[in-house]
Structure formats: structure tokens, C-alpha cells
Amino acid sequence: MSLKREREEIEDDEDNEDEVTVKFRRGRVVEDRRSRHCPYLDTINRSVLDFDFEKLCSISLSHINVYACLICGKYFQGRGQKSHAYTHSVQFSHHVFLNLHTLKFYCLPDNYEIIDSSLEDITYVLKPTFTKQHIEGLDKHGKLYRAYDGTTYLPGIVGLNNIKANDYANAVLQAFSNVPPLRNYFLEEENYRDIRRPPGDIMFLLVQRFGELMRKLWNPRNFKAHVSPHEMLQAVVLCSKKNFQITKQGDAVDFMTWFLNAMHGALGGTKKKPSILTKVFQGSMRIFSKKLPHPDLPPEEKEALLVTEEYQEQMSESTFLFLTLDLPTAPLYKDEKEQLIIPQVPLFNILGKFNGNTEKEYKTYKENFLKRFQLTKLPPYLIFCIKRFTKNNFFVEKNPTIVNFPITNVDLREYLTEEAQVTEKNTTYDLIANVVHDGKPTEGSYRIHVLHHGTGKWYEMQDLQVTDILPQMITLSEAYIQVNSPSLPVFFSVEELAVSKFPAHSLNTKKIFGAGQSSALDLESNLDTMLTPFF
């Protein structure tokens, strides 16, 4: 009996879903007069509206025909006379509702559509859109915006809510949101909307949710100066088959590895077919591998085996999305003051792994190999993963070594093969994001340092907390993941800088500055103002 009643209610709800009060005159549809003169618009409470959470009815937990009450912010299903939204409107006198799928506004229980331009800010928060001109200007200015709640914020430098123990994912998502080509791709939904996926494939949900998160992080018209990644993380839990969860601390490098490969596959990428992920992050290297005899064998047998073809050095080509840097072993003993020394190592020392000469032994369950690496192609954006954790059967150990790294102009030319050194134009990188792990291996927390391109300032983000930070302080942290962008070209004269910014007027700049004139001053920020009168 109850099943029959439920079915009748659903059918009744579907029948009433499209019954908006409409008049017909001589075959034409005439909109209800009340649509443009709704008396309840002043009851809308924008301060309680939050569209970051999953679009489910708060009573039936259904995701079909969900409406948001714009007075209390709760979600309800349907609009028919027996629906939860209708009942809520009668019971609490809340009359203005928004369909979360069609983005149309309705007045209940009168059941007419509301048409009013003053509601556009609400639909923009629910579904932000970006023009090409807007995207091009994101990194060119550092304008502060004021949210509806009165707080000021920089788009892109926005805190992410830590629901319970998802700060490891927050830090990685923040890092990727500040990689310009990746961000620009996902800010325009048209770039990936038409990618075909097999029926029943859930992995594309990851792409959709990541795109939605990017647009919310860079939205200049937010109601609040922070974003909850709730829907994005639910997609992560579902698509990773619960390997990464909201309620359990995870490893940022493990999550990043899975995320890059899962997104590449969901965007239709394969080993041969590129995606935006491989276009941005993929490089290539040569791996020289030599099998080693078992250490327990007699010396005569070892020498005999080393002559055979199986134990000769083999070379293979491989691609990579990030480079893993190994830290030297941390000291076990305390110093004379009964304190552990925190060791330090320069970045270029651990980058020596890829110079083609440094050999390292790798052990498997049965065999041992001696390997060395050399880069053959550098990616547009380079990711370093500093290996801080070692796992065994009993516990996880963290290496606290501080890596001394420069913020700008990390030159990797010496780690390329001779052929690649000729072909690679840009081999220097600047740091744009730095993920840090603090505390114990299993109980620690994550934070991230991000460079805002428009202002040139660094910011530290840990969950909802956003503070500015000096670049000198970044190098003192226990860096775990670093994202590097191509270095900007260095101009040795004002003329070169002017020509780069105004190529169409290169002849005029020569007249202005004269030949051979040079300056060490950083005039790029003032150059637009200086040259405008001349063009």
C-alpha cells in the first residue's frame, strides 16, 4: 500500500512540475503578471545561501528536481502540491525557490515563475561563467573583491573547508588551481563538455566536479570568501573506490598521483593521445638499468654473471608527470646539546639523481637493479615530489631534512641530454606552489604556499586560513610537493622589455629609448603608463 502511495506522489509531483500559471491569448503564451512583480523578493536571505554542498533534498535525499529555499537555504524536492518544497512553503511561509538544475526562480505555493534581474547574482554564485577576456586578465591584476558577507578576497586565493581530515586533498587542489593553463582549461566548460565517455562511466564526474571547483575558487562575485570542496571530495571518494576519504588523513603525493592519472583517463587521454594534464605536466627521461647479482653469491659466480647479456646495462625511454627527489638519510643520534640536528640539503644536490651519472640501487622482492636517470624533455610546468616518508611492515618514518631551494630561476639544463640541451629553449623554472607537511607522519597536517601572479605576492593557505607570507619564510618549511612554472624572460634593457610588451610598436620604442641604452631597474610594472602617450 505504501509503495502505491509513493508512486502516486511521484507521478503527482511530475504532473505538477511544469504547471506554472500561464495564460494563453490568441495562441500566444502570456506570462503571469506576478512574475515580474513578486512581493516576496525582499524575504530572500543571501547570507544563508550555500551552493557548495551536494544537491540533495534534505528530507527525501533525492537528487531529482531539487529546489533551494532562498529564505533558509535548505534543499527540497519538487514543486507539486504534495512535494516537500510545497509543504515547506506553506508551513514556514517561505515563498521563493530556485531550481538548482534549470536555474529558474519560482514562487510557492502560488506556483509561478519569478523573472527579475536582481536575482542574477544568485545564479552566478551557483554557476559562475567566465569569458575569454576575463580569463586572460586573471593574472594581470591583483584587484581585491568584496564578498556579500563583507570580507575581501583575491580570486584564486580562497580557503578550502576542511570537513574532517581532507587537508591533504585541499593542498593539492589549491596547487592545481594556480597552474594557469590547467585553470584556464577548466574555467571554460566548453573545453571538456563534449568529451565522449562509455555508458555508465563514473570517472567523468571527477572532471565535472573539478571544473565546478575551479570556477568557484576564481569567482569574483562570491557570497563568502571561502569554498567548501564537498562535492569534489565526494567524487574523489566514489571514483577512487574509497582509497581516499574525507574522514581519514591521506598522503598528498599518493592523492596527486591518482588524481593526475584518473583525470587524464577521464578526459579521454591514453598513452598515445594527450590530454590537458599531459600537455602541461608531462616530460620524458632516459632510464639506464643494470641488473645486479644476488649479494650472497660467491665472487666467482658474480663475475661470471656480470659478463652475461642479462646483466648488461639496458636503456629505456619513459615519460613522467612529476620527478621524485630522494632525501639523504636523516641523522639517528643527538648532538652534544641533547638535541636532534635538523639537516639541510641544497635542491641541486638531490636533483643530481637526474644528471645521468648518479647511480642508485633499487631492490625488489627477488632482484636488485642499479639505475641512473637523465632528462630528455622538460614539461611546461614541472612538479617535484620530495620523498619524506619511508614505509616498512611496522611503521611510517618521516625525514625532517630541510631542502634549501631558490624561489626563482632553477636551471635544469645540466640534467638534460646533449641533444635535448640544443632543442630545449626554456630550462629555467620559478616556484608557484609549495605543499608542506607538518607534524608526525600519520597525524600531521598540510598547508600550501601559493604565488598570486597578479600581485606577485606569496600567500599561505591552511584550510580556511589565508595569510600573506614573505618568500624567505617559504624555504624554511618541510616542502613535500613543489609546482614550478617556466621562468619569465630576463630583459637586460628597457628597450627589450618594451618590445616584448608592445611588439607592434617596436620601431617606436627604439626612437623613445635609443639604441644601446640599458638599465637594471625593474620597470615592467610602470612600462604601460610610460609608453601609453607614445602609441
Side-chain angles (χ1 to χ4, degrees):
M1 187 70 182
S2 60
L3 288 172
K4 184 178 179 183
R5 185 178 174 185
E6 276 184 32
R7 194 179 295 113
E8 287 174 355
E9 286 184 4
I10 292 171
E11 288 173 357
D12 182 66
D13 185 37
E14 289 175 349
D15 291 340
N16 287 293
E17 195 64 34
D18 297 319
E19 286 183 9
V20 180
T21 308
V22 175
K23 295 179 181 178
F24 292 89
R25 186 179 298 164
R26 294 181 182 178
R28 291 183 302 160
V29 179
V30 181
E31 68 180 37
D32 194 309
R33 285 185 179 180
R34 295 173 296 178
S35 291
R36 297 185 184 274
H37 304 282
C38 180
Y40 301 112
L41 293 185
D42 60 343
T43 63
I44 295 174
N45 186 1
R46 286 171 171 80
S47 61
V48 300
L49 300 183
D50 189 347
F51 301 121
D52 292 344
F53 293 95
E54 192 174 7
K55 312 300 187 289
L56 290 178
C57 172
S58 57
I59 298 175
S60 67
L61 300 182
S62 170
H63 61 273
I64 301 170
N65 291 333
V66 179
Y67 290 77
C69 172
L70 300 186
I71 288 81
C72 65
K74 294 179 181 177
Y75 296 166
F76 298 98
Q77 183 184 16
R79 203 176 69 242
Q81 289 187 1
K82 295 181 181 179
S83 67
H84 300 299
Y86 188 95
T87 305
H88 177 77
S89 70
V90 174
Q91 186 175 359
F92 295 97
S93 295
H94 292 177
H95 300 292
V96 187
F97 290 79
L98 167 63
N99 186 310
L100 297 176
H101 179 67
T102 63
L103 307 185
K104 291 183 178 181
F105 297 88
Y106 295 93
C107 181
L108 296 181
D110 296 341
N111 202 19
Y112 61 84
E113 183 180 350
I114 300 172
I115 303 171
D116 196 293
S117 59
S118 68
L119 302 176
E120 287 178 2
D121 62 328
I122 298 175
T123 56
Y124 192 86
V125 169
L126 175 58
K127 193 173 182 180
T129 53
F130 292 81
T131 62
K132 290 188 183 298
Q133 291 77 13
H134 187 183
I135 292 171
E136 288 172 3
L138 286 177
D139 295 329
K140 293 181 180 178
H141 61 80
K143 183 181 177 183
L144 281 169
Y145 290 86
R146 189 175 296 278
Y148 182 79
D149 62 2
T151 54
T152 55
Y153 70 98
L154 279 169
I157 309 297
V158 178
L160 283 176
N161 188 22
N162 188 356
I163 299 168
K164 187 171 183 182
N166 55 276
D167 54 341
Y168 70 97
N170 286 359
V172 173
L173 295 172
Q174 290 277 22
F176 287 152
S177 73
N178 281 276
V179 177
L182 191 67
R183 174 203 66 198
N184 296 351
Y185 179 86
F186 282 98
L187 286 182
E188 286 191 275
E189 195 176 358
E190 296 78 19
N191 290 329
Y192 58 86
R193 182 190 291 159
D194 299 327
I195 293 176
R196 293 184 178 181
R197 299 297 300 162
D201 178 47
I202 61 169
M203 296 304 290
F204 195 68
L205 181 66
L206 200 66
V207 175
Q208 293 174 319
R209 293 288 182 260
F210 184 67
E212 290 170 7
L213 182 65
M214 288 301 99
R215 291 189 286 276
K216 286 177 180 177
L217 285 172
W218 287 90
N219 182 5
R221 293 158 60 181
N222 268 329
F223 283 171
K224 55 191 187 308
H226 60 85
V227 173
S228 177
H230 190 265
E231 286 190 294
M232 175 70 213
L233 293 172
Q234 283 193 317
V236 166
V237 173
L238 180 66
C239 296
S240 69
K241 299 178 181 177
K242 298 186 178 179
N243 285 330
F244 301 100
Q245 299 187 21
I246 300 173
T247 56
K248 185 179 178 183
Q249 184 67 283
D251 185 275
V253 171
D254 291 345
F255 172 71
M256 184 188 72
T257 306
W258 171 83
F259 185 76
L260 287 172
N261 286 288
M263 288 284 284
H264 174 62
L267 288 165
T270 61
K271 285 186 177 181
K272 295 183 179 179
K273 185 181 177 183
S275 69
I276 184 64
L277 275 305
T278 54
K279 288 176 182 176
V280 173
F281 295 121
Q282 185 171 280
S284 60
M285 67 169 75
R286 282 181 187 163
I287 303 174
F288 301 90
S289 180
K290 186 165 62 176
K291 189 176 177 181
L292 295 176
H294 196 279
D296 296 338
L297 289 174
E300 298 81 14
E301 288 189 37
K302 285 184 182 179
E303 290 178 9
L305 287 172
L306 288 171
V307 182
T308 60
E309 187 177 346
E310 184 184 355
Y311 287 84
Q312 299 304 305
E313 189 173 67
Q314 308 289 329
M315 188 193 78
S316 60
E317 294 275 349
S318 177
T319 56
F320 64 85
L321 291 174
F322 58 86
L323 295 177
T324 303
L325 307 180
D326 302 318
L327 290 174
T329 308
L332 295 174
Y333 303 104
K334 295 181 179 181
D335 63 6
E336 63 274 7
K337 295 180 181 178
E338 293 297 315
Q339 293 179 341
L340 276 174
I341 303 168
I342 299 177
Q344 300 185 34
V345 61
L347 175 66
F348 293 102
N349 283 19
I350 55 178
L351 273 171
K353 172 182 177 181
F354 300 99
N355 61 12
N357 298 319
T358 305
E359 293 183 322
K360 187 181 178 183
E361 188 175 348
Y362 289 84
K363 297 180 179 180
T364 63
Y365 181 68
K366 291 182 179 180
E367 299 170 325
N368 296 348
F369 291 90
L370 208 60
K371 292 186 179 182
R372 54 193 181 93
F373 308 90
Q374 194 167 22
L375 305 180
T376 56
K377 181 178 177 292
L378 290 171
Y381 285 77
L382 181 62
I383 302 175
F384 292 144
C385 293
I386 299 167
K387 193 175 181 181
R388 292 201 172 272
F389 300 103
T390 51
K391 301 176 184 178
N392 56 34
N393 294 331
F394 305 103
F395 57 88
V396 180
E397 190 176 4
K398 181 183 177 183
N399 189 330
T401 302
I402 300 294
V403 178
N404 296 322
F405 54 88
I407 299 291
T408 58
N409 294 322
V410 177
D411 195 349
L412 300 181
R413 183 171 293 276
E414 63 181 285
Y415 307 105
L416 289 165
T417 59
E418 291 182 1
E419 309 88 63
Q421 288 183 17
V422 177
T423 56
E424 288 283 338
K425 294 180 180 178
N426 182 52
T427 59
T428 57
Y429 290 88
D430 296 339
L431 186 69
I432 58 170
N434 181 52
V435 177
V436 180
H437 182 272
D438 298 310
K440 297 179 181 179
T442 54
E443 302 172 5
S445 60
Y446 288 90
R447 55 193 169 98
I448 182 172
H449 303 124
V450 168
L451 173 67
H452 186 265
H453 298 278
T455 59
K457 292 182 179 179
W458 281 91
Y459 292 87
E460 180 179 275
M461 291 186 280
Q462 186 167 17
D463 301 332
L464 296 179
Q465 296 180 350
V466 179
T467 54
D468 53 352
I469 186 172
L470 293 171
Q472 297 89 326
M473 301 299 294
I474 296 170
T475 58
L476 304 176
S477 60
E478 296 179 9
Y480 193 32
I481 300 172
Q482 294 187 332
V483 183
N484 300 275
S485 71
S487 295
L488 293 172
V490 179
F491 298 101
F492 298 102
S493 70
V494 181
E495 182 185 334
E496 288 180 16
L497 184 57
V499 171
S500 74
K501 292 181 74 69
F502 300 94
H505 306 287
S506 56
L507 291 175
N508 293 1
T509 56
K510 288 180 181 178
K511 291 178 183 178
I512 296 164
F513 295 111
Q517 209 171 36
S518 62
S519 172
L521 295 174
D522 179 15
L523 298 176
E524 183 171 7
S525 57
N526 301 320
L527 194 65
D528 296 315
T529 309
M530 291 168 57
L531 296 181
T532 302
F534 294 98
F535 302 137

